[in-house]
Each structure stands twice: as C-alpha cells, then as structure tokens.
Amino acid sequence: MDLLLNPETHDMIFVNGGCPVTVSQQDIVAQRLKITLQTFLGEWFLDSELGIPYFQQILTKIRSKATVDAIFQKAILDDPGVLEMVSYESNLAASNRGFDLVFSVRVADGTIVPIDFTLYIGA
C-alpha cells in the first residue's frame, strides 16, 4: 500500500484533506513500475544503486534498441509484484528521438496490468 499518485502529473492526490492509498494489486504494481522507470540510477541519495542507467547506457550517442529493451525488461521483471511479462512492445522513433514502451504484466492476484511509458532521448 502506497500513497496514491496522479498518473499524469505524478503529484500526490488529496481528497477532502486526506491522502488515499493504492488498494488493488494492479494499482500498486503499476504505480511502482512507473516510479521505477522514471528514476535515474544514483538519483536517490539513500540508495545509489536504485534506478535506470539513463546517463550511463541509454542517453548516450552509441546505444542499441536491444540494449535499451534489455534494461527496461530487467527493471520490470525485478519488481516483486510482477509474476510475468505478458507483452512488451517498444519503438525508437528517429524523428523525435522518443522511445515508446507499451507492456503488460501479470501481478500476484492474477490480473494483467497494461502500462504505457514514453521517454524522450534527446533533441
């Protein structure tokens, strides 16, 4: 159970002065995966090993789509609430240097959670 975040703005949600929490397994895993995919390696001072190696391996001049896919797939499968990855589709757009990721995971209660993630690699 975590504090509920707005999926678009990533701000905490307040309702009548209270802070609702994530209740379902789907919400918990979806929110945790989005936070994981948005965290840069070394960003959190309490755990420098936490995060995605964006500066080290993704936001570099020499990178392959296969390497980026492997990094994201490992991060997704390392989540304790993920039983299996049901689908994974990514697209590296050369025109705007965006990386679109759409995947689905099966969580502990057996439901399938779809997640969309977009990363802009550079100008």
Side-chain angles (χ1 to χ4, degrees):
M1 184 167 34
D2 293 319
L3 295 174
L4 187 61
L5 301 178
N6 182 313
E8 293 177 18
T9 64
H10 312 293
D11 294 329
M12 286 179 51
I13 296 175
F14 293 97
V15 177
N16 297 327
C19 297
V21 295
T22 54
V23 178
S24 69
Q25 189 67 29
Q26 301 97 310
D27 292 340
I28 293 169
V29 172
Q31 182 170 295
R32 191 170 48 219
L33 283 172
K34 285 186 177 183
I35 290 170
T36 298
L37 296 178
Q38 293 170 347
T39 303
F40 283 60
L41 180 65
E43 177 180 358
W44 193 38
F45 72 98
L46 292 175
D47 186 355
S48 61
E49 299 297 315
L50 180 74
I52 304 293
Y54 285 111
F55 292 127
Q56 296 83 359
Q57 297 179 15
I58 296 175
L59 301 174
T60 62
K61 288 189 183 254
I62 301 172
R63 67 180 168 278
S64 69
K65 183 177 175 296
T67 300
V68 175
D69 283 339
I71 291 168
F72 284 129
Q73 288 173 358
K74 180 180 181 333
I76 293 164
L77 291 172
D78 283 348
D79 187 282
V82 173
L83 295 179
E84 69 174 322
M85 190 176 312
V86 177
S87 66
Y88 181 93
E89 193 174 320
S90 65
N91 181 33
L92 182 60
S95 60
N96 66 356
R97 296 188 182 188
F99 185 81
D100 297 316
L101 175 59
V102 178
F103 63 95
S104 298
V105 295
R106 186 178 316 279
V107 296
D109 66 0
T111 57
I112 296 174
V113 179
I115 298 176
D116 295 334
F117 179 73
T118 300
L119 169 71
Y120 293 101
I121 296 178

